Amino acid sequence: MKHWRLIPLLILSVGLAGCSMSQETESPSDSQGVMTKKQVLTLATGQPLTTLDTDKLPQFGRLNNTIEGLYSTAGTGQTELALAKKVKVNAAKTTYTFTLWKDSYWSNGDVITAQNFVFAWQRALSPQTKAPNADLFIGIKNARQILNGKLPATSLGVSAPSKFKLVVHLDHPMAELPQRLTFPLFGPQNERIAAKFGKLYATKPQYQVYAGPFMVAAKGNTKHHWHMIPNPHYWDRKHVYLQRINVDVYHSDAQMWRDYRKGTLDEVRLLGKGNIKYFEKQAAYTARPYSKMVLLNYRQTGKNKQINRLLAQRDTRLAISHAINRKKLGQTSYGNTSLPAQGIVPAGLSRGQKGTADFAASQPQQQTLTYNTKLAKKLWHRALKQAKLKHITLSFSYLDAPYSYKIAHTLKQQLTATLPGLTIRLKPRQWSVDEIPGPVNADLSLTTQHAQYADPLSMLALFTSSSMSNTGKWSSPTYDRLVEQASNAPSFNSTRWNTLLQAEGVLMKDQGVTPLFQPASTYLVNPKLNGVQYNTVGTQSNFKGAYFVK
């Protein structure tokens, strides 16, 4: 019988020492006496299940519950060892040696080994795979050269000297490495299964195996429905209580509401300010802040030289920023729970040492995000004059979805009402599972960036000159240097914190990208559902310990 593991907790603000960690937490208590006999959760989604390949997914959604890696997220700002039993770090903090548990198994009964991690990480970086979030590997030895096509994926600084020993070599110290490793892309993959099924691997549930608490059922999956069941070989199976998680695909909000009211759906997302206000005082109501930011991106390298000349000016971008009523913009689309941007880093993502202020609140150039129509007009006139223009038409791309539609139309109204001579032509774009954030098919584009781990660097690194996410091609040598300094820091100290603040100050002062607001999604959830862990970073909902009460 498997034992309950005593798992070390790693606090975000504490640096890793060059020794094994052994802080222990007690087993959580169960409430099985008040549980219902039927433990079946039914959730909604807007997209069908298209792949089970973790290297093909830009977002993991519900599938996060089928994945487990070296670390998992224990709560805001914390990580805990998961498939790793312990970790040793060398004095230079450039080599991490993980010892894996020997009793962790794939859903088919295979033992999870260190080689499964080596295979998964090399596969994610290989040119044949093109994982959407492969940039997260940068900092691990040779990852950047591999992504640039200068080295083969097999040269990545990760090895398995023995069956349960995994060694990770870094190009430089990375204080945030444990936070990064909670992201599902860093989970293992079963090399034997991948070789067995070849091109069929992970295309359907029967061609994939799982390391997490749940597995996608091989039968009963259609374009309109898929479901998960407990992984029978999961190391902590006795603390997984749900018997099944149904995921139904909806294309109609009205049908979703009807099913929630009938009790056949356990969660429904609230759309529209009116709905949110009506339900706010009900027990089923919940608002979930998430570490993401809605952004306005500028294309400065399009075919129209006049537009390029205009958008390349700092005055233009500042004028647009000051013309935006962020509070109203967020309320119109997401409701009162959304937060006006204080910078590119979301509120609540990270705090400094010894209880210092939230990073977002400390952002030094917050005045660049104030709603000031008088200043906006002044800067806009100056920019038009510099570009030798009296009027201009800008294309504006947004995702063809309800929230994006509301944001784009409200933003168009605000900008054209404040900035004389500006015409905006809206261009909806279709959602794609392979879409890389920040498309460049328009002069302006509306995107959402998620913090993939609990550190300011997860957002700031997206806008360096070499980042694929920096689609506007904004560039600042000073910014690049500051981000690199923070990336190389050996620990979460005040120097690193101040370096990150300086970097965000450079980005905001120049408005290389314009942050709009931090959305908080609002839901009605079956009040009898307990034990769900809602994360603010990475993947949002963890149903491992979820259960229904009578």
Side-chain angles (χ1 to χ4, degrees):
M1 181 179 295
K2 294 182 183 180
H3 52 81
W4 169 254
R5 297 179 180 174
L6 299 174
I7 304 174
L9 278 180
L10 307 182
I11 310 302
L12 178 63
S13 59
V14 178
L16 294 172
C19 59
S20 299
M21 293 173 224
S22 59
Q23 183 180 348
E24 299 177 350
T25 56
E26 295 181 0
S27 170
S29 61
D30 299 331
S31 302
Q32 297 182 25
V34 296
M35 290 184 185
T36 58
K37 290 185 178 180
K38 184 181 179 182
Q39 293 288 327
V40 178
L41 172 67
T42 301
L43 304 169
T45 183
Q47 302 293 336
L49 187 65
T50 56
T51 182
L52 294 166
D53 190 341
T54 55
D55 288 338
K56 302 292 185 183
L57 295 167
Q59 298 180 29
F60 294 87
R62 311 300 191 192
L63 288 175
N64 175 52
N65 291 273
T66 67
I67 305 165
E68 192 160 283
L70 298 169
Y71 294 92
S72 63
T73 302
T76 304
Q78 296 183 3
T79 63
E80 65 182 15
L81 290 171
L83 294 180
K85 180 180 182 179
K86 61 182 179 180
V87 57
K88 290 185 178 180
V89 187
N90 69 345
K93 300 187 179 180
T94 54
T95 300
Y96 286 61
T97 302
F98 295 94
T99 301
L100 306 188
W101 293 94
K102 296 180 180 180
D103 63 347
S104 295
Y105 299 90
W106 292 98
S107 55
N108 67 342
D110 287 354
V111 175
I112 297 174
T113 67
Q115 181 57 35
N116 292 154
F117 285 93
V118 175
F119 169 71
W121 294 11
Q122 290 178 351
R123 182 176 184 269
L125 288 172
S126 70
Q128 294 78 17
T129 305
K130 298 179 181 178
N133 294 292
D135 280 359
L136 285 174
F137 283 91
I138 292 176
I140 296 176
K141 188 176 180 180
N142 295 331
R144 187 182 295 276
Q145 294 93 318
I146 295 168
L147 287 173
N148 291 338
K150 296 179 180 179
L151 288 174
T154 52
S155 63
L156 184 68
V158 58
S159 62
S162 63
K163 191 172 183 178
F164 299 107
K165 192 81 68 178
L166 182 73
V167 180
V168 180
H169 296 285
L170 307 180
D171 287 326
H172 50 74
M174 294 169 61
E176 79 287 355
L177 182 67
Q179 282 68 39
R180 284 201 195 197
L181 294 182
T182 63
F183 195 68
L185 184 62
F186 290 96
Q189 292 195 46
N190 191 316
E191 186 173 8
R192 185 181 72 82
I193 296 300
K196 177 180 177 180
F197 293 119
K199 291 183 179 180
L200 291 175
Y201 174 65
T203 57
K204 292 182 179 179
Q206 57 266 39
Y207 305 136
Q208 178 62 295
V209 291
Y210 310 90
F214 293 92
M215 55 186 282
V216 179
K219 295 182 179 180
N221 293 283
T222 68
K223 292 182 179 179
H224 307 289
H225 169 90
W226 57 280
H227 60 273
M228 294 177 283
I229 56 178
N231 175 354
H233 297 286
Y234 181 60
W235 67 269
D236 197 23
R237 173 67 182 88
K238 66 180 181 179
H239 293 101
V240 178
Y241 310 117
L242 292 176
Q243 299 159 350
R244 175 169 167 148
I245 301 176
N246 294 316
V247 184
D248 294 335
V249 180
Y250 285 85
H251 300 293
S252 165
D253 293 336
Q255 184 60 49
M256 200 182 305
W257 271 99
R258 284 193 290 269
D259 287 352
Y260 178 79
R261 289 186 176 118
K262 284 192 303 183
T264 57
L265 187 62
D266 292 302
E267 177 184 273
V268 64
R269 190 172 180 179
L270 291 169
L271 297 171
K273 184 167 61 174
N275 281 340
I276 295 171
K277 188 174 182 180
Y278 176 79
F279 289 107
E280 278 179 340
K281 295 183 180 180
Q282 294 192 13
Y285 172 84
T286 181
R288 298 177 195 158
Y290 197 59
S291 292
K292 61 183 179 182
M293 191 66 66
V294 180
L295 307 171
L296 183 64
N297 303 265
Y298 305 97
R299 179 176 64 177
Q300 301 177 37
T301 56
K303 295 180 180 180
N304 189 310
K305 293 183 179 180
Q306 286 185 319
I307 293 176
N308 293 344
R309 196 159 55 240
L310 181 66
L311 293 180
Q313 293 186 61
R314 175 173 173 265
D315 281 349
T316 302
R317 302 189 297 271
L318 279 170
I320 290 173
S321 179
H322 288 305
I324 300 169
N325 185 334
R326 288 170 170 79
K327 184 176 181 180
K328 184 176 180 180
L329 183 65
Q331 288 176 340
T332 302
S333 52
Y334 276 80
N336 294 327
T337 52
S338 63
L339 301 173
Q342 297 172 291
I344 202 71
V345 175
L349 178 66
S350 180
R351 289 183 175 273
Q353 292 180 317
K354 299 180 180 179
T356 54
D358 179 72
F359 188 91
S362 304
Q363 198 270 110
Q365 293 291 333
Q366 293 192 33
Q367 72 275 10
T368 61
L369 306 178
T370 57
Y371 178 48
N372 187 334
T373 56
K374 185 177 179 180
L375 178 57
K377 289 178 180 178
K378 178 182 177 181
L379 293 168
W380 180 252
H381 281 300
R382 196 160 71 191
L384 286 178
K385 184 177 180 180
Q386 182 69 25
K388 299 180 181 179
L389 295 169
K390 291 186 178 180
H391 54 81
I392 194 73
T393 298
L394 300 178
S395 57
F396 183 12
S397 168
Y398 67 95
L399 187 65
D400 192 9
Y403 278 94
S404 295
Y405 175 86
K406 290 181 181 180
I407 297 168
H409 278 257
T410 303
L411 195 55
K412 174 184 176 180
Q413 292 172 358
Q414 290 188 2
L415 295 179
T416 54
T418 301
L419 306 177
L422 174 61
T423 301
I424 291 179
R425 178 169 52 86
L426 294 177
K427 289 180 59 177
R429 67 179 185 271
Q430 296 301 311
W431 184 91
S432 169
V433 70
D434 296 322
E435 180 180 349
I436 294 175
V440 290
N441 62 341
D443 305 313
L444 307 175
S445 57
L446 187 69
T447 62
T448 301
Q449 287 287 5
H450 298 70
Q452 294 166 324
Y453 53 93
D455 187 74
L457 194 63
S458 63
M459 293 294 287
L460 295 172
L462 299 175
F463 300 98
T464 58
S465 301
S466 60
S467 172
M468 292 172 60
S469 298
N470 182 14
T471 54
K473 305 303 179 186
W474 173 81
S475 181
S476 165
T478 300
Y479 182 82
D480 290 348
R481 176 177 54 79
L482 290 168
V483 170
E484 184 178 5
Q485 286 178 7
S487 299
N488 296 347
S491 63
F492 291 102
N493 54 33
S494 59
T495 300
R496 182 181 187 272
W497 179 263
N498 290 328
T499 300
L500 289 168
L501 284 174
Q502 289 177 48
E504 180 158 23
V506 172
L507 179 60
M508 289 299 96
K509 186 176 181 179
D510 207 49
Q511 284 298 289
V513 63
T514 292
L516 303 176
F517 63 90
Q518 179 180 352
S521 300
T522 51
Y523 297 84
L524 294 183
V525 181
N526 187 335
K528 294 184 178 181
L529 178 64
N530 284 262
V532 183
Q533 178 181 306
Y534 296 112
N535 301 319
T536 59
V537 293
T539 47
Q540 196 163 10
S541 303
N542 185 336
F543 296 106
K544 172 185 171 179
Y547 59 92
F548 286 95
V549 296
K550 297 174 183 177

